[in-house]
Amino acid sequence: GSDRPNPSFTPAPGFVPYPGHGNNRDNSNPHIVYEFTFVPQDGGTPVLKYGISDEYKYGVSRPENQKPALQAIFGSTVSYRILSRTINRQEALILEQRLVNAHFNKWDVMPRVQSRPGPF
């Protein structure tokens, strides 16, 4: 991904983007929380993964960049949707964890390609 600001993101007046590495708990930029799904042929979970992205730095380029690889594995029905916007990275991580936990409770398995976070 590019470190250039996302032109579709309009920060609030007085907003100063977090200057550090995106993968930092102190990242105070707004984030998106998204999910990838597909139409399964095996009766299992349609959820491939949940993810988060720094809205200012990467916006939807992060899930967009993941989409071709997932389509190559799981077919053309792979798509993603933004589930929420959060005020910072910590809130996004909390929501992502809740989504993974809820998925695990429903399906008794992780989303198909979820690398982290694990259920607890």
Side-chain angles (χ1 to χ4, degrees), residues 33 86-96:
V33 180
T86 64
I87 60 170
N88 57 34
R89 181 175 177 78
Q90 281 298 100
E91 291 296 315
L93 289 169
I94 290 167
L95 180 53
E96 182 186 32

PDB file of all heavy atoms in Angstrom, residues 33 86-96:
ATOM      1  N   VAL A  33     -13.474  -1.197   9.332  1.00  0.00           N
ATOM      2  CA  VAL A  33     -13.503  -2.622   9.624  1.00  0.00           C
ATOM      3  C   VAL A  33     -14.296  -3.260   8.492  1.00  0.00           C
ATOM      4  O   VAL A  33     -15.404  -2.812   8.176  1.00  0.00           O
ATOM      5  CB  VAL A  33     -14.168  -2.906  10.991  1.00  0.00           C
ATOM      6  CG1 VAL A  33     -14.191  -4.402  11.268  1.00  0.00           C
ATOM      7  CG2 VAL A  33     -13.455  -2.145  12.101  1.00  0.00           C
ATOM      8  N   THR A  86     -14.302   3.361  12.691  1.00  0.00           N
ATOM      9  CA  THR A  86     -13.986   3.563  14.103  1.00  0.00           C
ATOM     10  C   THR A  86     -13.109   4.799  14.243  1.00  0.00           C
ATOM     11  O   THR A  86     -12.512   5.262  13.271  1.00  0.00           O
ATOM     12  CB  THR A  86     -13.263   2.335  14.698  1.00  0.00           C
ATOM     13  OG1 THR A  86     -12.003   2.178  14.040  1.00  0.00           O
ATOM     14  CG2 THR A  86     -14.098   1.085  14.566  1.00  0.00           C
ATOM     15  N   ILE A  87     -13.023   5.280  15.463  1.00  0.00           N
ATOM     16  CA  ILE A  87     -12.286   6.530  15.665  1.00  0.00           C
ATOM     17  C   ILE A  87     -10.780   6.331  15.712  1.00  0.00           C
ATOM     18  O   ILE A  87     -10.031   7.280  15.512  1.00  0.00           O
ATOM     19  CB  ILE A  87     -12.758   7.265  16.948  1.00  0.00           C
ATOM     20  CG1 ILE A  87     -12.552   6.400  18.186  1.00  0.00           C
ATOM     21  CG2 ILE A  87     -14.199   7.714  16.804  1.00  0.00           C
ATOM     22  CD1 ILE A  87     -12.771   7.144  19.489  1.00  0.00           C
ATOM     23  N   ASN A  88     -10.319   5.093  15.950  1.00  0.00           N
ATOM     24  CA  ASN A  88      -8.885   4.843  15.996  1.00  0.00           C
ATOM     25  C   ASN A  88      -8.617   3.346  15.812  1.00  0.00           C
ATOM     26  O   ASN A  88      -9.546   2.548  15.680  1.00  0.00           O
ATOM     27  CB  ASN A  88      -8.267   5.366  17.304  1.00  0.00           C
ATOM     28  CG  ASN A  88      -8.918   4.764  18.533  1.00  0.00           C
ATOM     29  OD1 ASN A  88      -9.332   3.610  18.549  1.00  0.00           O
ATOM     30  ND2 ASN A  88      -9.023   5.558  19.592  1.00  0.00           N
ATOM     31  N   ARG A  89      -7.349   2.978  15.826  1.00  0.00           N
ATOM     32  CA  ARG A  89      -6.968   1.583  15.616  1.00  0.00           C
ATOM     33  C   ARG A  89      -7.453   0.681  16.743  1.00  0.00           C
ATOM     34  O   ARG A  89      -7.918  -0.433  16.502  1.00  0.00           O
ATOM     35  CB  ARG A  89      -5.447   1.479  15.476  1.00  0.00           C
ATOM     36  CG  ARG A  89      -4.968   0.069  15.237  1.00  0.00           C
ATOM     37  CD  ARG A  89      -3.473   0.014  14.973  1.00  0.00           C
ATOM     38  NE  ARG A  89      -3.039  -1.363  14.826  1.00  0.00           N
ATOM     39  CZ  ARG A  89      -3.205  -2.096  13.745  1.00  0.00           C
ATOM     40  NH1 ARG A  89      -3.781  -1.570  12.674  1.00  0.00           N
ATOM     41  NH2 ARG A  89      -2.795  -3.343  13.704  1.00  0.00           N
ATOM     42  N   GLN A  90      -7.334   1.144  17.989  1.00  0.00           N
ATOM     43  CA  GLN A  90      -7.736   0.316  19.127  1.00  0.00           C
ATOM     44  C   GLN A  90      -9.205  -0.089  19.013  1.00  0.00           C
ATOM     45  O   GLN A  90      -9.558  -1.242  19.245  1.00  0.00           O
ATOM     46  CB  GLN A  90      -7.494   1.043  20.453  1.00  0.00           C
ATOM     47  CG  GLN A  90      -6.058   1.006  20.907  1.00  0.00           C
ATOM     48  CD  GLN A  90      -5.559  -0.408  21.172  1.00  0.00           C
ATOM     49  OE1 GLN A  90      -4.876  -1.002  20.336  1.00  0.00           O
ATOM     50  NE2 GLN A  90      -5.898  -0.947  22.311  1.00  0.00           N
ATOM     51  N   GLU A  91     -10.063   0.864  18.667  1.00  0.00           N
ATOM     52  CA  GLU A  91     -11.489   0.547  18.521  1.00  0.00           C
ATOM     53  C   GLU A  91     -11.708  -0.448  17.377  1.00  0.00           C
ATOM     54  O   GLU A  91     -12.559  -1.331  17.473  1.00  0.00           O
ATOM     55  CB  GLU A  91     -12.299   1.821  18.293  1.00  0.00           C
ATOM     56  CG  GLU A  91     -12.371   2.730  19.510  1.00  0.00           C
ATOM     57  CD  GLU A  91     -13.108   2.089  20.674  1.00  0.00           C
ATOM     58  OE1 GLU A  91     -14.175   1.489  20.460  1.00  0.00           O
ATOM     59  OE2 GLU A  91     -12.606   2.176  21.807  1.00  0.00           O
ATOM     60  N   ALA A  92     -10.952  -0.292  16.294  1.00  0.00           N
ATOM     61  CA  ALA A  92     -11.081  -1.213  15.163  1.00  0.00           C
ATOM     62  C   ALA A  92     -10.668  -2.629  15.570  1.00  0.00           C
ATOM     63  O   ALA A  92     -11.321  -3.603  15.204  1.00  0.00           O
ATOM     64  CB  ALA A  92     -10.250  -0.724  13.983  1.00  0.00           C
ATOM     65  N   LEU A  93      -9.578  -2.732  16.326  1.00  0.00           N
ATOM     66  CA  LEU A  93      -9.118  -4.047  16.776  1.00  0.00           C
ATOM     67  C   LEU A  93     -10.136  -4.714  17.688  1.00  0.00           C
ATOM     68  O   LEU A  93     -10.369  -5.924  17.595  1.00  0.00           O
ATOM     69  CB  LEU A  93      -7.774  -3.913  17.492  1.00  0.00           C
ATOM     70  CG  LEU A  93      -6.574  -3.590  16.610  1.00  0.00           C
ATOM     71  CD1 LEU A  93      -5.373  -3.227  17.467  1.00  0.00           C
ATOM     72  CD2 LEU A  93      -6.251  -4.747  15.679  1.00  0.00           C
ATOM     73  N   ILE A  94     -10.755  -3.931  18.556  1.00  0.00           N
ATOM     74  CA  ILE A  94     -11.774  -4.466  19.458  1.00  0.00           C
ATOM     75  C   ILE A  94     -12.963  -4.991  18.658  1.00  0.00           C
ATOM     76  O   ILE A  94     -13.462  -6.097  18.887  1.00  0.00           O
ATOM     77  CB  ILE A  94     -12.220  -3.403  20.480  1.00  0.00           C
ATOM     78  CG1 ILE A  94     -11.084  -3.125  21.477  1.00  0.00           C
ATOM     79  CG2 ILE A  94     -13.500  -3.820  21.199  1.00  0.00           C
ATOM     80  CD1 ILE A  94     -11.302  -1.887  22.331  1.00  0.00           C
ATOM     81  N   LEU A  95     -13.406  -4.217  17.678  1.00  0.00           N
ATOM     82  CA  LEU A  95     -14.540  -4.644  16.860  1.00  0.00           C
ATOM     83  C   LEU A  95     -14.180  -5.883  16.039  1.00  0.00           C
ATOM     84  O   LEU A  95     -14.970  -6.831  15.948  1.00  0.00           O
ATOM     85  CB  LEU A  95     -14.998  -3.505  15.946  1.00  0.00           C
ATOM     86  CG  LEU A  95     -16.179  -3.809  15.037  1.00  0.00           C
ATOM     87  CD1 LEU A  95     -17.372  -4.345  15.811  1.00  0.00           C
ATOM     88  CD2 LEU A  95     -16.566  -2.572  14.245  1.00  0.00           C
ATOM     89  N   GLU A  96     -12.982  -5.897  15.466  1.00  0.00           N
ATOM     90  CA  GLU A  96     -12.559  -7.066  14.700  1.00  0.00           C
ATOM     91  C   GLU A  96     -12.553  -8.312  15.587  1.00  0.00           C
ATOM     92  O   GLU A  96     -13.022  -9.385  15.185  1.00  0.00           O
ATOM     93  CB  GLU A  96     -11.167  -6.826  14.109  1.00  0.00           C
ATOM     94  CG  GLU A  96     -10.672  -7.986  13.259  1.00  0.00           C
ATOM     95  CD  GLU A  96      -9.236  -7.806  12.807  1.00  0.00           C
ATOM     96  OE1 GLU A  96      -8.423  -7.199  13.555  1.00  0.00           O
ATOM     97  OE2 GLU A  96      -8.915  -8.305  11.716  1.00  0.00           O
TER      98      GLU A  96
END
